[in-house]
Amino acid sequence: MHSPAGLAHRSVSRLIHNELTTEIPVHLLFRDDPAPGRPRLRPDPVPPAPAVVGGGRGAGGQPCLPRRVPAPAGPPSEPDPTLVERPARALPGAVGVLAGACGAAGCVLTSWWAGVLPPLARMLPQGAGAGLGPPQWAAYAGAGALGLLGFGGLTRGRTGRAWVLGLFGRYRGTVRRTGLLWINPLVPRRGIDVRLRHWRSEPMPAVDANGIALRVAVLVVWRVRDTARAALGVDDHEAYLRECVEAALARVRVEPPGDARRAVEAAGDALTRLVARETGTVGLEVHSVRPARVEYAPEVADAMRRRSVAALDARDRAGALTSVVDSVEDTVTRLAMRGLVDLDDGERKVLVRDLTVAFCAGRRETIP
């Protein structure tokens, strides 16, 4: 017979001992009372056990915790979505000319007012001769500022060029107008070429389908589509274009020199798609990327040249042998069909051998 205390102890052990946890003493499930003499109404709640994956055990019989797998890296972030080209405010050049003329006229009138006109201007009526006082200096400052603003903001807008304006690090807009314009001279401006342009690269490293090193010069036709992203989205959009072309050449297999034209066109289409996708986020529009010159790398050029020569020689030899064999077969067949010769197998072999030697000798004599 077992005592009730033993039964209770055994039932408690079954409750806290299973295949996924180790045996825990009962007194560890309860903390001491916060104050002596104060009865505890109920034990502190036991924190939930960590999740177990697969029911396996780790070292010491502890459950195996799930491993954290790092999230895969996402695509590169695009530039600021608010950085989109928008037109900036620009006034006709006549406004700047008028403001500058008014400023110059104001300086002349102030000099007349102060009575300090130079000797060449004595033909004008005599001024008040008030002298150079605070009012005159204030008039000089205002007229001079107006003249500087008027003439300093004059600029010429040309076809195929744009001005990107910014102030205090903030994009203010783009001016694509042509002719004489007035732009606030206090706003910094940056000129950018928006014409259709082509760029022939220097030889860049590439490989063919067999992994043989090549040097490829490409011709890129492109233009700036969004001036805001091209000027402010990257440090140098032309250098960024070169890097994108070089990266695309490392991913596309270019056919070696002398291969089919269709394969070269396929490589150009693949290069165009890759470069256009990479540069579209910075405001560039790539129309085509075509291999202009493909050659073997200097370290393998001699070996590949010898290999090409050997392949051409083998192909010529195979073609010559096929021609000789066809000629011998046609000759023997025609002689037999016309009844000119009656040969057994041994005589036929000898005739074929002699004709082959004769045709090969005659072919070598005809080749210079």
Side-chain angles (χ1 to χ4, degrees):
M1 296 296 293
H2 299 282
S3 63
L7 293 177
H9 176 71
R10 181 174 302 175
S11 62
V12 172
S13 299
R14 293 196 192 98
L15 290 176
I16 64 175
H17 182 74
N18 52 43
E19 62 179 3
L20 297 180
T21 60
T22 58
E23 187 172 357
I24 305 174
V26 178
H27 68 278
L28 295 181
L29 298 178
F30 304 95
R31 294 180 297 181
D32 295 337
D33 293 335
R38 182 179 179 182
R40 180 181 295 275
L41 299 179
R42 58 181 180 180
D44 293 338
V46 179
V52 179
V53 179
R57 291 175 177 268
Q62 296 297 330
C64 297
L65 299 179
R67 300 178 60 184
R68 294 183 179 180
V69 180
S77 58
E78 293 188 358
D80 186 1
T82 61
L83 190 62
V84 181
E85 180 181 334
R86 60 178 181 270
R89 181 177 299 177
L91 300 178
V95 176
V97 173
L98 180 60
C102 290
C107 291
V108 173
L109 290 177
T110 303
S111 300
W112 174 82
W113 177 27
V116 293
L117 286 176
L120 296 179
R122 294 301 183 184
M123 62 186 67
L124 297 176
Q126 188 66 25
L132 292 177
Q136 288 75 19
W137 286 116
Y140 271 127
L146 182 60
L148 289 177
L149 286 176
F151 290 125
L154 292 177
T155 185
R156 183 181 63 174
R158 294 182 296 174
T159 303
R161 297 281 299 181
W163 295 102
V164 179
L165 308 183
L167 184 61
F168 302 119
R170 183 178 179 183
Y171 173 63
R172 293 295 182 180
T174 300
V175 178
R176 288 181 177 257
R177 296 170 56 182
T178 59
L180 186 62
L181 304 173
W182 184 86
I183 301 175
N184 188 355
L186 301 179
V187 178
R189 68 191 74 170
R190 176 180 175 182
I192 188 169
D193 194 341
V194 296
R195 295 173 295 181
L196 187 67
R197 305 166 65 184
H198 73 279
W199 167 61
R200 184 185 179 94
S201 71
E202 66 279 1
M204 296 182 176
V207 294
D208 63 0
N210 298 322
I212 300 175
L214 302 175
R215 289 292 184 270
V216 181
V218 297
L219 181 65
V220 184
V221 180
W222 65 286
R223 72 179 183 93
V224 175
R225 176 176 49 84
D226 192 315
T227 57
R229 292 191 174 185
L232 306 175
V234 290
D235 185 26
D236 187 351
H237 60 276
E238 295 183 2
Y240 183 78
L241 177 63
R242 287 194 296 269
E243 296 295 335
C244 289
V245 171
E246 187 171 359
L249 280 174
R251 298 169 59 184
V252 175
R253 296 295 179 261
V254 182
E255 296 299 325
D259 277 18
R261 183 178 182 86
R262 183 175 299 178
V264 177
E265 293 293 333
D269 294 340
L271 288 173
T272 303
R273 288 193 300 269
L274 287 176
V275 177
R277 184 179 60 187
E278 295 294 334
T279 58
T281 57
V282 296
L284 303 184
E285 183 178 2
V286 176
H287 294 276
S288 67
V289 181
R290 302 296 176 188
R293 189 180 67 214
V294 182
E295 58 187 12
Y296 290 107
E299 59 270 16
V300 299
D302 293 338
M304 297 308 300
R305 189 178 299 109
R306 291 194 298 268
R307 179 180 175 182
S308 300
V309 171
L312 290 175
D313 184 64
R315 186 168 57 187
D316 291 343
R317 289 177 180 272
L321 182 59
T322 301
S323 177
V324 169
V325 170
D326 291 341
S327 300
V328 171
E329 181 182 7
D330 183 63
T331 302
V332 174
T333 302
R334 293 174 65 182
L335 290 175
M337 291 179 61
R338 294 184 181 182
L340 299 177
V341 293
D342 187 9
L343 306 173
D344 55 10
D345 293 341
E347 294 174 344
R348 179 183 293 272
K349 292 179 181 179
V350 172
L351 179 60
V352 168
R353 183 190 62 190
D354 296 341
L355 289 175
T356 302
V357 172
F359 285 158
C360 288
R363 186 176 183 85
R364 282 196 299 268
E365 292 177 358
T366 57
I367 296 178

